[in-house]
Amino acid sequence: MASQYTPRVFSGIQPSGGLTLGNYLGAMKRFVDMQNTGDFETVYCMVDLHAITVWQDPQALSRNTRELCAGFIASGIDPEKSILFNQSQVPEHAQLGWVFNCVARMGWMQRMTQWKDKAGKNSQNASLGLFGYPSLMAADILIYHATHVPVGEDQKQHLELTRDIAIKFNNDYGVDFFPVTEPVIEGAATRVMSLRDGSKKMSKSDPSDMSRINLTDDADAIAKKIKKAKTDPEALPSDVDGLADRPEARNLVNIYAALADSTPEAVLAEFGGQQFGAFKPALGDLAVSKLAPISAEMSRLMDDPAEIDKILRRGAERGREIAAPILAKTYEIIGMVR
Ligand code: TRP
């Protein structure tokens, strides 16, 4: 049966500062690939309303939003092909989010592992917004009737909740209005680990800057961090099974494969049997050739914030063209007098 929904991708990233290679390979590069298949309409959002569920310094929030926009564009998001904007400029997200606050149940929210992790022991002091975070996330997705949502493994539970909200809304009101969304979860190969500890995710909040490659790092910094990356004394294995107990080796091979649009198997077919002394310079050159142009383009874009703001405003206008009729229909279904 043909779907009643336009194939449409939605994803969001919080403008909370500090983009890393992990964001690039795990999110942005995949967003660009989905944009370029031409199989979908692609909608990419800087979720500033989500960011403020924990404290954000106002100036930093503005700067981080513009920097994230620059990062998207420098990574290959074309603001003509994709709809690129910040969430607060499309008020329908918050409006549908409120409706979903009335659909979702307290118990559903309480089960969210990210809520439990982020609120920690002091949950009485967490913001109400942090508790309702997943309901706003469901609204982000469903206000576009998005059918595909590329996210990391850590967002899987939130997407299941999005499905639960869509199903409950459809059931409660006896309609077939919101789609049941497909998660597009990243593979293990795009999960980028710390350069200092292959068992930890690469993170902007790691105290050691050597543990990560920032999208703003220049060529020298990138080369140095790859050179200093932790490894083990063995040569590279000739197949992926040989990486099983070697998290650092596996991470570097995965990074190489992802940057080269290749596979770990193909990388090991080429480098298997070689020492890190040979592999690291090759990885360093590859990383510099792929990432240095991105950081250069980001800093060029950041020199013209007015241009970035214009792109975001235009993206928001295009977003509203899709979102406004879906909100209007939602209100009609609920019985809001218009
Ligand atoms: N929660 C997501 C994250 O932290 C960000 C996000 C907000 C999102 N809304 C979304 C991702 C909608 C996908 C779809 O990574």
Side-chain angles (χ1 to χ4, degrees):
M1 196 182 77
S3 166
Q4 65 186 113
Y5 303 105
T6 309
R8 187 176 287 141
V9 170
F10 180 93
S11 198
I13 301 184
Q14 294 195 46
S16 43
L19 290 171
T20 69
L21 178 64
N23 298 111
Y24 176 67
L25 292 178
M28 286 158 152
K29 187 167 181 296
R30 300 165 67 218
F31 297 175
V32 172
D33 292 344
M34 292 186 98
Q35 166 191 271
N36 293 342
T37 61
D39 295 342
F40 308 97
E41 271 182 37
T42 43
V43 184
Y44 298 124
C45 184
M46 284 131 258
V47 290
D48 46 12
L49 297 173
H50 277 109
I52 61 163
T53 57
V54 298
W55 170 251
Q56 304 291 328
D57 172 76
Q59 273 183 1
L61 179 62
S62 307
R63 184 173 204 288
N64 290 334
T65 302
R66 294 189 179 107
E67 188 171 275
L68 179 54
C69 181
F72 269 115
I73 295 170
S75 301
I77 297 297
D78 175 344
E80 293 302 315
K81 281 195 200 160
S82 292
I83 298 180
L84 184 66
F85 65 100
N86 57 314
Q87 189 185 25
S88 58
Q89 292 205 73
V90 178
E92 287 80 4
H93 289 241
Q95 291 174 290
L96 186 63
W98 178 260
V99 173
F100 287 172
N101 283 346
C102 303
V103 173
R105 308 286 95 183
M106 297 281 283
W108 298 3
M109 298 292 162
Q110 243 141 10
R111 279 196 290 278
M112 293 293 113
T113 55
Q114 205 154 68
W115 156 253
K116 290 191 253 182
D117 291 349
K118 283 202 185 175
K121 289 194 176 50
N122 201 4
S123 67
Q124 292 300 306
N125 200 34
S127 73
L128 186 54
L130 188 67
F131 190 64
Y133 182 114
S135 157
L136 180 60
M137 180 164 162
D140 295 339
I141 296 166
L142 295 173
I143 197 67
Y144 298 99
H145 278 183
T147 53
H148 294 76
V149 184
V151 284
E153 182 70 34
D154 63 337
Q155 296 299 311
K156 210 170 148 188
Q157 199 185 26
H158 287 161
L159 290 194
E160 283 159 7
L161 187 104
T162 300
R163 293 163 75 100
D164 291 341
I165 289 178
I167 291 167
K168 183 161 167 32
F169 182 96
N170 289 344
N171 263 324
D172 286 353
Y173 292 101
V175 292
D176 182 13
F177 185 57
F178 287 116
V180 175
T181 312
E182 280 308 316
V184 186
I185 305 286
E186 67 184 302
T190 44
R191 190 147 189 255
V192 180
M193 311 306 282
S194 159
L195 299 178
R196 306 259 87 226
D197 175 353
S199 67
K200 282 200 327 213
K201 205 171 161 181
M202 183 178 284
S203 163
K204 66 176 179 192
S205 45
D206 191 299
S208 165
D209 193 57
M210 293 301 284
S211 71
R212 65 181 157 262
I213 293 176
N214 306 297
L215 276 196
T216 49
D217 284 345
D218 63 13
D220 288 348
I222 297 167
K224 184 171 134 207
K225 288 175 178 180
I226 298 281
K227 193 166 163 215
K228 296 252 164 89
K230 184 176 170 200
T231 51
D232 57 41
E234 310 290 322
L236 282 169
S238 50
D239 59 41
V240 286
D241 291 344
L243 293 171
D245 300 316
R246 300 176 62 187
E248 283 80 21
R250 183 172 59 231
N251 187 36
L252 295 184
V253 168
N254 283 345
I255 291 173
Y256 191 107
L259 285 172
D261 281 312
S262 175
T263 61
E265 288 77 10
V267 174
L268 291 177
E270 189 180 345
F271 289 99
Q274 298 191 32
Q275 298 291 335
F276 283 102
F279 180 63
K280 275 183 165 182
L283 176 59
D285 288 348
L286 175 66
V288 167
S289 78
K290 297 282 180 180
L291 303 174
I294 296 179
S295 76
E297 177 66 359
M298 275 176 79
S299 78
R300 192 189 68 77
L301 290 162
M302 286 297 281
D303 285 342
D304 191 355
E307 180 60 26
I308 292 182
D309 294 1
K310 210 169 111 191
I311 291 170
L312 291 175
R313 278 198 302 274
R314 173 77 190 118
E317 267 171 37
R318 292 171 63 204
R320 292 195 80 177
E321 282 168 23
I322 304 174
I326 292 178
L327 182 74
K329 182 73 194 167
T330 307
Y331 278 174
E332 187 192 314
I333 290 169
I334 294 174
M336 303 292 192
V337 174
R338 316 286 289 144

